[in-house]
Amino acid sequence: MPLSAHRSFQQGIDQVLSDDNGVDIAVFILWSRLGTPPGPQLQRVDGTEYRSGTERELALMVEASRLQGGRRPHILAYTRQDEASFEEALRGKSTDQKSELLRQKLMVERFIKEEFHDASSGTNIRAYHTFNRPQTFAARFRAHLQDL
């Protein structure tokens, strides 16, 4: 997207997402990095800060769908379950780099647990699709887009 330099990344993304044309399909692909916090200028209704732009964007899409009676946007979420590739990504990194990669991966795992599962019952509250390799994702994603 052509984001303008007079806004932060997240403010530019928010502008595009809230454009009058709206969004028909929102796709979230989660694996080892949740992303960067959008900062204190963008907070939840309750005043708390988002952990990342990804978290904010999911909240925006869920709210947009609620306001549209669930008609749009369609929200698709995919999670990569591939520890071998993650371990490969750690290889050769400094201790600080490994720590940051592990911190990000833990954030993703907490995000999935909190946003897609009910903490008290353990049941799923939002659907998501798992995949282990990019090729598996590509085939599944293509089929899902064709169905939509």
Side-chain angles (χ1 to χ4, degrees), residues 76-87:
L76 299 173
Y78 300 87
T79 65
R80 185 172 175 176
Q81 307 294 310
D82 182 3
E83 290 305 313
S85 291
F86 181 71
E87 289 170 11

Side-chain angles (χ1 to χ4, degrees), residues 15-24 72:
Q15 179 63 43
V16 171
L17 294 179
S18 63
D19 188 0
D20 289 340
N21 296 324
V23 173
D24 292 318
R72 66 183 278 246

Side-chain angles (χ1 to χ4, degrees), residues 19-72:
D19 188 0
D20 289 340
N21 296 324
V23 173
D24 292 318
I25 302 171
V27 180
F28 294 86
I29 306 168
L30 305 165
W31 179 37
S32 63
R33 189 172 190 288
L34 193 59
T36 306
Q41 71 276 14
L42 297 171
Q43 298 180 346
R44 291 184 185 90
V45 176
D46 67 6
T48 59
E49 291 185 29
Y50 292 97
R51 287 174 283 201
S52 73
T54 302
E55 184 175 49
R56 175 164 170 78
E57 291 154 18
L58 178 63
L60 287 172
M61 294 299 96
V62 167
E63 178 63 9
S65 181
R66 185 189 69 75
L67 293 172
Q68 291 290 323
R71 291 186 306 277
R72 66 183 278 246

Side-chain angles (χ1 to χ4, degrees), residues 2-3 8 20 23 33 56 58 60-62 72 79 81 103 105-106 108-110 120 122-123 127 132-134:
L3 300 176
S8 71
D20 289 340
V23 173
R33 189 172 190 288
R56 175 164 170 78
L58 178 63
L60 287 172
M61 294 299 96
V62 167
R72 66 183 278 246
T79 65
Q81 307 294 310
R103 186 185 74 77
K105 184 139 175 37
L106 284 170
V108 169
E109 290 171 1
R110 282 188 206 115
S120 59
T123 59
N132 59 353
R133 295 184 352 245

Side-chain angles (χ1 to χ4, degrees), residues 90-135:
L90 293 174
R91 200 169 299 143
K93 301 283 194 247
S94 71
T95 302
D96 286 344
Q97 290 170 321
K98 286 178 184 177
S99 293
E100 177 57 18
L101 290 169
L102 288 169
R103 186 185 74 77
Q104 281 285 332
K105 184 139 175 37
L106 284 170
M107 282 176 51
V108 169
E109 290 171 1
R110 282 188 206 115
F111 176 73
I112 292 167
K113 193 174 202 179
E114 293 168 10
E115 294 294 329
F116 294 87
H117 300 275
D118 178 82
S120 59
S121 68
T123 59
N124 290 340
I125 55 174
R126 288 194 178 97
Y128 62 94
H129 308 275
T130 61
F131 66 96
N132 59 353
R133 295 184 352 245
Q135 299 86 341

